[in-house]
C-alpha cells in the first residue's frame, strides 16, 4: 500500500481584544504504514494450488444473462442437430471387467463424488455432464443453463461387493430430492436430482427405492429416472476435487467407510 496523505481543514477562532478573526489552517496527516497497521495485514493470503471456480453459492436465483436476451450469448442447442443426436445417445464407454456403471445427479458433483468414493465396492468415480443437447460441453457451457446437461457422477462398482441398492441409499442421503433444479445455494437445471440407469434392473430398483424414500419425506420427490446418456468427463481439475484438497487445500478422506462430514466446497 502506498503512503497516503490525508488533508483535513480545521477552523480555529483567533480572538483579540479588539475584534474576533477567523483563520483557516490546514493540517496534513501522514498515514504511514507504521502509524496504523503493518502492510503485511493487507497482503493477499497464500491461495490454494487448486483451481477456483465460478460456482455460485448465493441463495438468489441467477438472473438471465442480458447478452442471451439480446441474442449475443450462447445459443440454445437445436434438439434436431447432429450435436444433439450424439449427446442424447447412450453412454458407449465400457466399465472394467466384472464392473458396472451407474450415474447420479444430486447437485454439485464435488461432494457427491466424495461420498461415492467412500462406498466399499466402488472402484472408480468420475464427474461429468450428461443428459444435455450439446456435444463435448465445457463447464462454462453447462453453467449457462442452456445446454440441458446435469452435473453427474459416474460410478463404477463391483456388484459382488456393492449392490446398486447401496448406491441408491447413498444417493438419497446426500441431497434433498424434493427441490427442483436446486441444491442449497446452487440453483440451475444442471443441479437437478436424477438417477440414470444402464439396465432394466437398475431402472426397476431406482423406481422402487424412490417409492420407499417418498414415505420418509414430507414433500413430493422430483428426482428424474432416465436411461443413462452419453457421459462427458468434466475438466481434470473437477475430478476428485475434494479428495485433492478443494479450493482451500484441505484434503478430505476418500477412504472406504469414512464417515467424516463432507465440506462441499472444500
Amino acid at each position: 500500500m502506498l503512503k497516503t496523505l490525508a488533508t483535513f481543514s480545521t477552523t480555529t477562532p483567533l480572538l483579540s481584544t479588539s475584534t474576533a478573526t477567523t483563520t483557516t489552517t490546514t493540517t496534513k496527516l501522514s498515514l504511514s504504514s507504521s502509524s496504523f497497521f503493518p502492510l503485511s495485514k493487507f497482503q493477499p493470503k497464500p491461495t490454494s494450488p487448486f483451481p477456483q471456480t465460478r460456482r455460485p453459492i448465493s441463495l438468489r436465483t441467477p438472473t438471465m444473462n442480458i447478452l442471451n436476451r439480446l441474442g449475443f450469448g450462447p445459443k440454445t442447442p437445436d434438439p434436431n442437430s447432429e450435436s444433439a443426436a450424439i449427446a442424447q445417445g447412450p453412454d458407449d464407454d465400457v466399465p472394467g471387467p466384472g464392473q458396472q456403471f451407474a450415474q447420479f445427479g444430486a447437485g454439485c458433483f464435488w461432494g457427491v463424488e466424495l461420498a461415492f468414493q467412500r462406498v466399499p465396492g466402488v472402484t472408480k468415480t468420475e464427474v461429468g455432464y450428461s443428459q444435455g443437447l450439446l456435444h463435448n460441453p465445457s463447464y462454462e457451457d453447462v453453467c449457462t443453463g442452456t445446454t440441458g446437461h446435469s452435473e453427474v457422477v459416474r460410478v463404477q462398482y463391483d456388484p459382488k461387493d456393492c449392490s446398486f441398492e447401496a448406491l441408491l441409499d447413498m444417493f438419497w442421503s446426500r441431497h434433498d430430492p424434493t427441490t427442483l433444479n436446486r441444491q442449497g445455494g446452487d440453483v440451475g437445471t444442471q443441479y437437478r436430482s436424477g438417477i440414470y440407469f444402464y439396465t432394466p434392473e437398475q431402472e426397476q430398483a431406482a423406481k422402487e427405492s424412490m417409492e420407499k424414500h417418498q414415505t420418509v419425506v414430507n414433500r413430493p420427490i422430483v428426482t428424474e429416472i432416465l436411461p443413462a446418456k452419453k457421459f462427458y468427463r468434466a475438466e481434470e481439475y473437477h475430478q476428485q476435487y475434494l479428495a485433492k484438497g478443494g479450493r482451500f487445500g484441505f484434503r478430505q478422506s476418500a477412504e472406504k467407510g469414512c464417515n467424516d462430514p463432507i465440506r462441499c466446497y472444500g
Side-chain angles (χ1 to χ4, degrees):
M1 178 183 291
L2 297 177
K3 182 181 294 185
T4 307
L5 293 180
T7 302
F8 300 92
S9 294
T10 60
T11 301
T12 307
L14 300 179
L15 300 178
S16 67
T17 56
S18 59
T19 182
T21 61
T22 300
T23 62
T24 300
T25 62
T26 301
T27 303
K28 289 188 176 180
L29 178 61
S30 175
L31 303 180
S32 67
S33 60
S34 60
S35 301
F36 290 88
F37 302 102
L39 287 176
S40 60
K41 294 283 187 182
F42 301 95
Q43 298 302 318
K45 301 295 184 184
T47 58
S48 165
F50 300 97
Q52 307 293 300
T53 75
R54 294 189 289 274
R55 184 182 303 283
I57 57 175
S58 169
L59 293 177
R60 290 189 302 109
T61 302
T63 55
M64 182 180 293
N65 189 324
I66 188 64
L67 293 178
N68 290 348
R69 303 186 67 177
L70 294 175
F72 298 108
K75 303 298 183 183
T76 301
D78 179 359
N80 298 316
S81 68
E82 182 179 352
S83 173
I86 297 173
Q88 285 288 298
D91 183 5
D92 52 9
D93 292 339
V94 179
Q99 310 289 299
Q100 292 184 15
F101 278 152
Q103 278 187 37
F104 301 96
C108 169
F109 49 26
W110 294 338
V112 181
E113 180 181 33
L114 183 59
F116 281 117
Q117 284 179 274
R118 295 175 171 181
V119 176
V122 169
T123 56
K124 184 180 181 180
T125 60
E126 298 173 280
V127 298
Y129 319 114
S130 191
Q131 300 293 319
L133 298 173
L134 182 66
H135 182 48
N136 284 330
S138 67
Y139 176 67
E140 288 72 20
D141 291 330
V142 173
C143 283
T144 66
T146 64
T147 69
H149 288 89
S150 175
E151 286 195 11
V152 301
V153 179
R154 186 171 69 179
V155 177
Q156 178 180 280
Y157 65 101
D158 186 339
K160 298 192 301 294
D161 300 321
C162 175
S163 67
F164 184 64
E165 287 74 14
L167 298 179
L168 289 169
D169 289 343
M170 178 58 72
F171 167 77
W172 298 120
S173 72
R174 276 302 306 166
H175 78 303
D176 181 354
T178 69
T179 53
L180 182 64
N181 300 330
R182 174 177 178 174
Q183 287 300 312
D186 292 324
V187 180
T189 55
Q190 69 269 35
Y191 301 119
R192 64 189 181 271
S193 174
I195 303 169
Y196 307 110
F197 59 85
Y198 285 79
T199 66
E201 292 76 18
Q202 285 187 350
E203 178 184 17
Q204 183 62 30
K207 290 179 177 179
E208 292 176 357
S209 179
M210 186 168 72
E211 291 176 3
K212 179 181 177 181
H213 193 66
Q214 184 64 79
T215 65
V216 299
V217 296
N218 56 12
R219 290 179 299 191
I221 290 176
V222 295
T223 301
E224 60 184 16
I225 300 176
L226 298 170
K229 300 249 173 70
K230 189 169 182 63
F231 175 81
Y232 294 98
R233 194 173 191 271
E235 294 81 352
E236 189 58 37
Y237 69 87
H238 285 301
Q239 306 300 326
Q240 293 82 53
Y241 184 74
L242 299 183
K244 292 176 181 176
R247 66 175 58 172
F248 301 117
F250 299 114
R251 295 174 182 270
Q252 298 185 54
S253 175
E255 291 185 7
K256 299 302 182 185
C258 178
N259 290 318
D260 291 348
I262 294 176
R263 301 183 303 275
C264 293
Y265 295 97

